[in-house]
Amino acid sequence: MWLSLNIVSDMVDLSGLTAEEIAERLTMSTAEIDGIDIMNGHLEGVITAKVLEVKPHPNADKLTLVDLDTGEKNLRVVCGAPNHKKGDIVPLATVGTRFTEEFTVKKTKIRGEESEGMLCSEKELGFSDDHSGIMVLPADTPLGKPLSELRRDWFDRRLEIDNKSITHRPDLWCHEGFAREIGAIFGREVKDPVDMSLEKTFKSEDTLKVEIENGEAAPRYCGLHMKNIKIAESPDWLKARVTAIGMRPINNIVDITNYVMAEIGEPMHAFDRKKLKGNTILVRMAKDGEAMTTLDGQEHSLTAQDIVIADASGPIALAGVMGGGMSEIDDSTTEIVLEAANFNPVNIRRTAGRYNLRTEAAVRFEKSLDPEICPRAIVRCYQLIKELIPDAVAVTPIVDAYPEKAKKVNVQTSFDFIRRKLGKELEDGEISRILKALNFNVNGGKDGIDIEVPSYRATKDISIPDDIVEEVGRIHGYDNITPRAPYVPCEPPGKNEKRAFERRVKEILVQDAGLVEVSNYSFVGEDLLNKLGVNEDRELRLKNPLSLEQDRLRRGLIPNLVKNMELNQRYGDEFRFFEYGRVYYKKERSSKDLAVENTRAAGIVYSRKATGPLYYRAKEAVTILLNRLFIAGFSFTQASEKLPPYAHPGRTARLLIGGKEIGFVGELHPAVMNAFDVRGAAAFFDIDADALLAAGSGRGRFEELPRYPDVPFEVSVLAERRDHAGNICAVARSGAPEFVKAAEVISVYEGAPVPEGKKSVSIKVVFASGEKTLETAEVDRLQKAVIAALEKKGYKLR
Amino acid sequence: MEDKLKAILSGATESIGRAEDAGALEEIRVRVLGRKGELTQILRGLGELPPDKRGAMGKLSNEIKAKVEAALEEKLSELKSSKFSKLLEEEWIDVTLESPGSTARAKLGHLHPISQIQYEIEDIFTSMGFMVLDGPEVETEYYNFEALNIPSYHPARDMQDTFWTEDGNLLRTHTSAIQVRGMEKHNPPFRVIGPGRVFRYEATDASHENTFYQVEGMMVDRDISVAHLIFFMKVLLREIFKRDVTIRLRPGYFPFVEPGFELDIQCLICGGKGCGVCRQSGWVELLPCGLVHPNVLQCSGIDPGAWSGFAFGLGLNRLIMMRYGINDIRHFQSGDVRFVRQF
């Protein structure tokens, strides 16, 4: 919203205040000011000058050389306009005048002739759309005067209000509201722009009736019938002000209603009285399917939730949003009905949304306007019409339907409460002074105060003591409050295990396993799921997705991670990353209960030219994680059934903890790599982090360090190619379980001389005793026992 | 005898000169000075000499022994140093190369910058007695709106456009929803923060994201005031930016706080003079905060007559963007490891 300081200065004296100062104080106490605009700032550089002579340009047919007298000196400009002649007083933009960021008037040569400035059209000056020729000023205009003085109305300082910062303040959607704030902040008196005594001059004919059908939807409706109206162009001052508030001048009546809305905040409407059928204006709910055409030419089929203004023929306006085309005023209008009404903000908000008509009126009504403004707005309109059209008369009094007067709001609180909430020792008198400056009436004293809230703050803004705290705090200035630490017990906070675990897991994966953490959207789309073959159509859908790629909530982390792989392999041959995040499960997609959120840790290891299966690298990362967490009893078992479709059938393992499956480690299926057109290989892991946390972890008791030496023993056996080396170690261990401290694979070899389909597995078995040093004979016996166990299971020694 | 001694010395000196390694020197030492060595034999024979010659010969023998030993020693150290002098030539390596294989693979892991700042903030607050809370990302209307004093017709719902799920729930639009669950679960007094992912129904561009991160904070106790709120905010910002930051508090409207504020910090890029980052204003809007609205306390079963509190919400993405000069918010959710590796 534009705030014109010219308009504000009608209500409060701004002398001695810069626009910057006003903007700064308003930002700190009232609402955010987005910027300061000097409207028509160029007018300061444009001065009046008299044309002494107009000569043809020697080198150009359409250009002329104009000699000018500025009162101080004579100079010459080159000009392309056709109209100006000797003796005319014209506006001269002097050298250095800045019109826009890009255009500043400079001393220049045009086709070889020097030009010291520019003569301006009305359009160039910002006064109208007239660009037919140079503006010619009245003959008695003094010379050398800047236009910013001569056309004071057109030169304005405007503040741009951030509308979002005043959504809770219906009173601030107009200049009067800001004038009141400025008055309170700077301690200056505020004048009421409305002269209510004019109401006494209204005649009392009975030519208009108003009825409200539903007082909740339309609490108030004021109408006024006026005659002797002559539609004309607005005078210069009004055009300037309407332009300053960001609207286009139309004609005197429309401009006045727009101006009054900007000035005192009540959206107004003027109907052509002669186009109305009957004497009664009825405010009622629309009928379902009722048709109506608004001023913008749009035809609407209304609903029973919309409020309409109707005459005997039907709807003449969509209440609070836009007038109807049928009753619009035009150049021949001589009688009008002025409307100032109040509507239920929720109805207006929904109607405006329904028909996509977020008009200036609707934006204001949906903020809960004060019904007390309505008669004021009518009188203010009358006042301005009378100024512009002295013959105009109000033939009726204000016809006011106001079924239930708005309740006064009083707030009971105490000076102490205000001080306590602010944390500042303000004097009682200072608190009262601030509240009175804001037009709050304060009664009472030490034992409590009763505060009467002005009607324009009472519609929803101020109702509880805490609201009063804000009023005092903001005008006093929050920067004047000294920060203070509270007196509270000093004790460690409760620990959030889930959060702490998340952090631990991430740190291990990053610091120990060397993975990069990525973060993906919670959304997936059908195409991606299809590409991975995991589309079971079970994802919870968004009602309002932004795109088809993001129209449902993920049930797994892997799909987006595969996309990450596709992206990253464009820039690197080798990388590994993980995500720790939530997936969302819903049994019945439509049932009202919340989705179950499962936290997972998943990652991908990629290499364009891997030597050896990447599975082992992913497994290594997971093993590092499990070991660092001191998780006991985990195992990787070959998984060939019930695999995720994107998993390599021969290179995937289930991760079990205490026999319970908590995730997968595997390579991505070559078909996936093909589908994403990615060369190389990739391995993944996908772990249920909630289950991991539940599995329990942590160090056990301290174990005594071994006191007797280990005795290692190496043995190689022949095994089937698809035998698991882990099994062979287990068999070896079973030969002498009480003495085998460890049994590990040293190497696996396939190829000649090992027969086809077989492999040679070398394992290292470590014997040790907790009680004694093992004698040679004893070691011999143990070795034989291990060999016997292996042979019994069919593993031949090599 | 004297001649013999001189012959031993010259012989030894010559052999030492010719010796090529420590082994050869050792052989010479044994041959001359060993138990059965040439010089040792002579020394043993000294007893047979007449007493008047014994002294002179003994002295001479010892001199020669010392000379041989010194020559051996000198040659040995000469041999040693000449051996190491070849190291430079023979064992030189190119120190600008990397360990084999490691140029192809970045071995360092990196925590996502959001995680880093989140943990940093968690540490600041837990050190001041705040508990870390959690809540679901898919939320009910109640926790996201109603319980925060935002009824269904309230214009504030315009301000935070929402993703709705087909089951009638929504993706939380702010971490304030965590706050409500915290108030239900914990009896006052309490101090809590709730970090997490939030969602807005918003088309993405360089400065808009549909998915981002916040940390919500709340303290409820007796007589909590604006002065206390400012204190905690100043501490938080001093810890984050590692220096005192100039702040200002101005009115801001949020239905769940009263009074409500926008907290601005003086622009760290230009120091308040005005630049592109702060849109020439000298200030950067950083976090909304305020005293908890009595309706919000009441709604969660806390008596607003007995307790009061403050709450704030801090956007993590913007904070990181400011700290590192990141110009596009979409980097955070891009999954591009080149981005994360910078942190």
Side-chain angles (χ1 to χ4, degrees), chain A residues 80 90 123 163 168 261 309 314 325 329 333 424 429 473 514 539 604 619 633 718:
Chain A
V90 290
K123 186 178 179 184
N163 288 352
H168 61 306
M261 172 175 74
I309 314 300
I329 56 170
T333 300
K424 168 101 185 182
E539 285 78 13
I604 283 184
K619 181 185 175 185
L718 209 58

Side-chain angles (χ1 to χ4, degrees), chain A residues 638-644 649 654 664:
Chain A
Q638 191 100 31
S640 42
E641 284 173 348
K642 290 193 183 158
L643 285 180
R654 268 176 231 290
F664 284 98

Side-chain angles (χ1 to χ4, degrees), chain A residues 670-682:
Chain A
V672 170
M673 305 304 275
N674 285 340
F676 285 84
D677 202 17
V678 173
R679 281 184 299 152

Side-chain angles (χ1 to χ4, degrees), chain A residues 174-280:
Chain A
C174 64
H175 286 69
E176 187 181 21
F178 276 95
R180 289 188 196 114
E181 291 288 322
I182 292 168
I185 292 168
F186 291 100
R188 298 187 179 197
E189 200 187 326
V190 182
K191 284 191 291 270
D192 187 344
V194 186
D195 178 5
M196 287 303 281
S197 68
L198 290 172
E199 206 183 342
K200 286 185 227 123
T201 67
F202 295 2
K203 295 188 179 170
S204 52
E205 285 176 28
D206 187 18
T207 52
L208 181 69
K209 282 197 177 59
V210 173
E211 274 174 36
I212 291 176
E213 202 182 74
N214 179 341
E216 206 169 307
R220 191 170 198 177
Y221 192 101
C222 293
L224 181 72
H225 181 187
M226 289 186 75
K227 286 185 179 172
N228 296 351
I229 298 297
K230 277 192 203 73
I231 302 297
E233 221 180 286
S234 290
D236 215 39
W237 72 265
L238 183 55
K239 279 200 263 183
R241 290 192 168 191
V242 167
T243 306
I245 58 176
M247 295 176 129
R248 283 174 58 85
I250 311 280
N251 61 42
N252 50 6
I253 298 299
V254 173
D255 291 350
I256 285 172
T257 54
N258 282 335
Y259 180 70
V260 169
M261 172 175 74
E263 187 187 45
I264 66 172
E266 171 68 24
M268 303 281 300
H269 190 67
F271 298 101
D272 186 327
R273 174 66 184 91
K274 291 186 172 162
K275 293 179 185 170
L276 297 182
K277 305 283 180 290
N279 276 352
T280 303

Side-chain angles (χ1 to χ4, degrees), chain A residues 349 421 470 496 499 503 506 515 517 519-522 541 543-544 568 582 584 586 589 592 597, chain B residues 110 115 123 132 134-135 137-138 158 162 164 166-167 169 195 197 201 209 226 258 333 335 337:
Chain A
R349 191 173 130 76
K421 285 276 180 178
E470 171 158 50
N496 183 332
R499 285 285 188 185
R503 183 167 174 177
K506 281 192 196 178
L515 268 56
E517 186 195 5
S519 177
N520 280 305
Y521 292 106
S522 295
R541 300 292 203 283
K543 266 187 202 160
N544 53 339
N568 284 296
R582 301 188 195 178
Y584 316 85
K586 197 77 197 276
R589 272 172 34 200
K592 186 78 188 159
E597 296 183 11
Chain B
H110 296 263
S115 302
D123 289 347
V132 184
D134 224 330
E137 290 170 356
V138 186
D158 270 1
T162 309
W164 296 91
E166 59 184 324
D167 56 6
N169 293 307
R197 169 181 283 213
Y201 179 71
E209 247 298 1
V226 175
E258 186 65 54
Q333 299 296 111
V337 297

Side-chain angles (χ1 to χ4, degrees), chain A residues 521-657:
Chain A
Y521 292 106
S522 295
F523 316 114
V524 286
E526 196 172 29
D527 282 355
L528 177 61
L529 298 178
N530 284 338
K531 225 166 160 181
L532 286 163
V534 292
N535 186 9
E536 292 178 63
D537 200 20
R538 292 166 68 196
E539 285 78 13
L540 184 62
R541 300 292 203 283
L542 294 177
K543 266 187 202 160
N544 53 339
L546 280 168
S547 68
L548 282 176
E549 289 77 47
Q550 299 195 339
D551 71 345
R552 58 198 76 188
L553 291 175
R554 63 185 180 188
R555 287 178 61 88
L557 299 182
I558 295 291
N560 284 327
L561 289 172
V562 170
K563 274 188 72 180
N564 298 156
M565 172 188 74
E566 183 191 23
L567 170 80
N568 284 296
Q569 57 89 30
R570 288 182 219 155
Y571 312 113
D573 290 342
E574 199 145 333
F575 49 79
R576 41 194 175 170
F577 55 75
F578 77 100
E579 178 172 17
Y580 193 99
R582 301 188 195 178
V583 301
Y584 316 85
Y585 300 137
K586 197 77 197 276
K587 268 210 185 87
E588 287 286 331
R589 272 172 34 200
S590 59
S591 70
K592 186 78 188 159
D593 54 314
L594 281 180
V596 173
E597 296 183 11
N598 172 219
T599 311
R600 303 192 73 86
I604 283 184
V605 177
Y606 170 84
S607 173
R608 197 181 308 279
K609 296 169 192 146
T611 51
L614 280 181
Y615 163 83
Y616 295 112
R617 281 207 227 154
K619 181 185 175 185
E620 182 187 36
V622 173
T623 309
I624 286 172
L625 172 65
L626 298 172
N627 284 335
R628 263 272 179 270
L629 290 171
F630 293 95
I631 286 178
F634 65 84
S635 61
F636 296 88
T637 64
Q638 191 100 31
S640 42
E641 284 173 348
K642 290 193 183 158
L643 285 180
Y646 49 76
H648 189 303
R651 295 185 171 183
T652 299
R654 268 176 231 290
L655 171 61
L656 306 178
I657 296 181

